[in-house]
Amino acid sequence: QINFVLQQQRGLKPEQAASASKVALERLIDQELALQKAQDQKLDRDPRVVQQLEAARREIIARSYAEKIANGAPKPSAAEIKAYYDAHPALFRERRVYNLQELMIQAKPEQVADLQAKLASSKGVTEYAAYLRENDFKFTANQAVRAAEQLPLANLESFAKMKDGQTMFNRSPTGAQVLVLVNSRSQPVDETQATAAIEQFLWNERKRKVVEDDLKALRGASKIEYVGEYAKGGAREV
């Protein structure tokens, strides 16, 4: 039991194992005492507890099946890793580290277009922030340093083309996001350095696709009946 607990602690160093095992032992003792007391009070027969146990059992077994299917996905080849490296220069060969200023603006959907137009006509972020204050827009300002791999992949090519002082405008669930590139510096990653990370990323994507395709096949081969209020909308798209 102690070994199982330790296996769940990712990144545990060998020199930390002894102290971690003592902590795990004490927690297991507390857990066992509570378990015995709960069984004396027949809490393990409580309908809510039984339902939670069954839900956990289903989740564990279903996850184990998905992991087994995923592990059957072949690892990417050296050629596939090189192709990915060459196809994403902004992540590797031309990788940059960005110093960004972010404005998160609360706005109604019908106000977003005007906010974007005002940003385009403003001389700088200071003037734009003054406009937001004057028009009672609530917003927060933050500054952060982000490497290329920490940015949304869909926006990375756009970031790579930006020059210092330029802005990017995005819609957000609560209004809009404005990103200002304060400055950036080049910090490339060569193919040798990137290989392990690319291999893991491509393999994870391949495993995800294998599981997704398997579930679609299972649904296609099964008879699924929706009843009650769930029958009104019919089967969901998969």
Side-chain angles (χ1 to χ4, degrees):
Q1 288 177 308
I2 291 172
N3 288 336
F4 179 79
V5 171
L6 296 180
Q7 289 169 8
Q8 311 311 305
Q9 300 182 28
R10 295 183 178 179
L12 185 66
K13 298 178 180 178
E15 61 269 23
Q16 298 173 320
S19 60
S21 65
K22 292 178 182 178
V23 173
L25 171 61
E26 296 304 322
R27 287 179 180 173
L28 286 169
I29 291 172
D30 292 342
Q31 187 184 69
E32 179 62 27
L33 292 171
L35 176 62
Q36 291 181 15
K37 197 66 176 178
Q39 289 174 333
D40 289 343
Q41 297 178 6
K42 295 182 171 53
L43 291 178
D44 55 328
R45 302 180 188 177
D46 184 292
R48 292 174 300 175
V49 175
V50 172
Q51 186 178 42
Q52 290 175 27
L53 287 171
E54 178 59 23
R57 175 181 173 275
R58 290 165 58 89
E59 170 65 24
I60 291 169
I61 295 174
R63 185 170 64 245
S64 295
Y65 171 76
E67 289 173 355
K68 180 181 179 181
I69 295 297
N71 287 334
K75 287 191 174 183
S77 66
E80 290 173 319
I81 294 171
K82 177 173 175 50
Y84 189 88
Y85 179 89
D86 292 338
H88 297 83
L91 273 176
F92 306 112
R93 189 180 294 111
E94 299 170 9
R95 176 178 178 268
R96 294 160 68 192
V97 176
Y98 302 86
N99 183 6
L100 299 169
Q101 186 174 0
E102 177 190 55
L103 301 180
M104 292 299 299
I105 308 166
Q106 295 182 30
K108 298 176 181 178
E110 60 270 20
Q111 295 175 311
V112 173
D114 288 340
L115 286 172
Q116 186 171 10
K118 182 60 182 177
L119 178 64
S121 64
S122 296
K123 295 180 180 179
V125 68
T126 303
E127 180 181 314
Y128 188 67
Y131 165 81
L132 296 175
R133 295 189 190 93
E134 290 167 3
N135 289 272
D136 296 324
F137 283 103
K138 293 182 179 179
F139 69 96
T140 57
N142 301 291
Q143 193 150 341
V145 176
R146 295 283 184 268
E149 64 274 14
Q150 295 174 307
L151 298 172
L153 190 59
N155 292 337
L156 186 54
E157 291 301 323
S158 298
F159 271 107
K161 297 175 183 176
M162 289 175 66
K163 299 185 183 300
D164 293 355
Q166 289 188 322
T167 60
M168 178 183 293
F169 186 95
N170 297 312
R171 289 178 177 268
S172 74
T174 57
Q177 175 200 48
V178 174
L179 290 170
V180 184
L181 178 58
V182 180
N183 55 57
S184 66
R185 66 180 186 274
S186 176
Q187 200 171 87
V189 175
D190 64 34
E191 190 173 343
T192 302
Q193 293 173 304
T195 294
I198 295 174
E199 180 182 46
Q200 190 62 53
F201 172 77
L202 293 178
W203 195 31
N204 287 342
E205 285 296 293
R206 192 167 288 177
K207 289 194 287 187
R208 180 192 62 76
K209 185 68 166 55
V210 165
V211 173
E212 184 180 280
D213 290 346
D214 184 75
L215 288 175
K216 284 184 179 181
L218 290 174
R219 279 179 166 266
S222 304
K223 181 180 179 181
I224 303 173
E225 181 182 359
Y226 290 84
V227 298
E229 63 178 291
Y230 301 103
K232 298 175 184 177
R236 66 177 176 86
E237 293 293 327
V238 294

